[in-house]
Amino acid sequence: MKRFAGLTAVLVPAFLGGAPAQAADWYTGAEPVVRDDAWTTAVDASASVTSNSSAFGSLTGTFATEGTLLQSGPRIRVEAVAGTYSYPGQGVAQRVTGYQEEAALSAGYEWIWRDAALAGFVGFNVRSNQLSILDPDNPVVGTGVGAKFGANFYARPTENTMVSAYGSYSTQFNAYYTRFRVGYMVADGVYVGPEAMVLGDNFFSQYRIGAHVSGFSIGPIKMAVGVGYVKDRIQGSGYYSSVEARAAF
């Protein structure tokens, strides 16, 4: 229902580097690409909608403060998330519409190996949840600041397979989001496989199971799409779709 479900909100690039100027990213599942320049900045944009009346978008920037994103080192991440959702308010006997905005700033470190990458982040977020009408059953209302933690992992167990995982947690409303993907390469740098997500906060909980196609390119932009089934504690069953894009420079 609430919260972005394609990246968290969320989206930390992770590159695989063994040989010089080689990289792969957990976000779109892209194959290593030889580059003459060195990436220091990555920008990720995502959008997700469900048949359970929610639509969210996210924009994330990740910066290497020393060296490049192709090397192990410290990172800074800036995130912005916004969206809307609605649900049947049991206590008010009518449908409630919610509006959510969030901004986050985190610092962390990323370890890069030849066929794997692991990153961890610690920071804070400011989150605002507003409702169209007062719902006494929904405690997730208002604006506040919380500590935020995130981690992501990417690996290529074999030449033709990939595994990625991401998780985040904020003390503001106890919001959490996790995503796990595996894929098999069906074309050069393009992976297809299953994905699963679990997300929620003090009011709702939800899981999603579906499939993704990751790593295809539109010009210089790497893309990923996902579709599947969603089960929400408040809204019941439905379907979701997501699209993700990333550029590095």
Side-chain angles (χ1 to χ4, degrees):
M1 186 174 62
K2 298 194 293 282
R3 187 149 174 104
F4 176 70
L7 130 124
T8 151
V10 61
L11 302 170
V12 186
F15 293 95
L16 300 181
Q22 285 193 332
D25 86 70
W26 75 278
Y27 180 61
T28 59
E31 271 296 281
V33 178
V34 176
R35 293 289 299 267
D36 292 330
D37 55 335
W39 292 317
T40 60
T41 302
V43 177
D44 298 302
S46 302
S48 177
V49 297
T50 75
S51 61
N52 292 346
S53 304
S54 72
F56 276 77
S58 176
L59 185 65
T60 300
T62 304
F63 311 92
T65 58
E66 294 180 12
T68 74
L69 291 173
L70 310 181
Q71 306 165 330
S72 297
R75 306 283 190 258
I76 296 293
R77 184 174 70 186
V78 180
E79 302 170 82
V81 179
T84 183
Y85 55 93
S86 66
Y87 62 94
Q90 300 298 324
V92 293
Q94 58 180 299
R95 198 159 189 87
V96 180
T97 299
Y99 308 92
Q100 179 182 320
E101 296 85 30
E102 178 178 339
L105 176 64
S106 303
Y109 195 91
E110 185 170 25
W111 293 267
I112 305 290
W113 300 280
R114 181 176 180 82
D115 292 308
L118 174 66
F121 288 84
V122 177
F124 71 93
N125 69 317
V126 179
R127 179 170 163 178
S128 172
N129 278 5
Q130 305 299 327
L131 302 179
S132 58
I133 58 175
L134 181 63
D135 179 7
D137 295 329
N138 188 348
V140 183
V141 182
T143 302
V145 179
K148 188 168 185 177
F149 309 91
N152 60 267
F153 172 76
Y154 177 93
R156 290 188 302 154
T158 69
E159 183 178 353
N160 295 317
T161 61
M162 58 83 76
V163 177
S164 70
Y166 172 81
S168 68
Y169 170 76
S170 170
T171 59
Q172 178 65 11
F173 303 127
N174 289 311
Y176 59 90
Y177 173 83
T178 61
R179 185 181 73 182
F180 179 76
R181 278 178 172 170
V182 297
Y184 184 82
M185 189 166 64
V186 296
D188 187 21
V190 180
Y191 292 86
V192 174
E195 66 178 9
M197 287 157 277
V198 179
L199 56 154
D201 57 24
N202 286 335
F203 178 59
F204 88 107
S205 60
Q206 181 183 109
Y207 69 84
R208 304 184 181 194
I209 299 175
H212 70 94
V213 179
S214 303
F216 61 96
S217 299
I218 298 179
I221 308 299
K222 290 294 183 180
M223 303 289 297
V225 295
V227 294
Y229 170 81
V230 55
K231 177 69 172 181
D232 188 280
R233 184 181 71 85
I234 306 296
Q235 291 277 58
S237 300
Y239 302 94
Y240 76 90
S241 61
S242 64
V243 60
E244 306 162 3
R246 129 185 277 262
F249 49 91

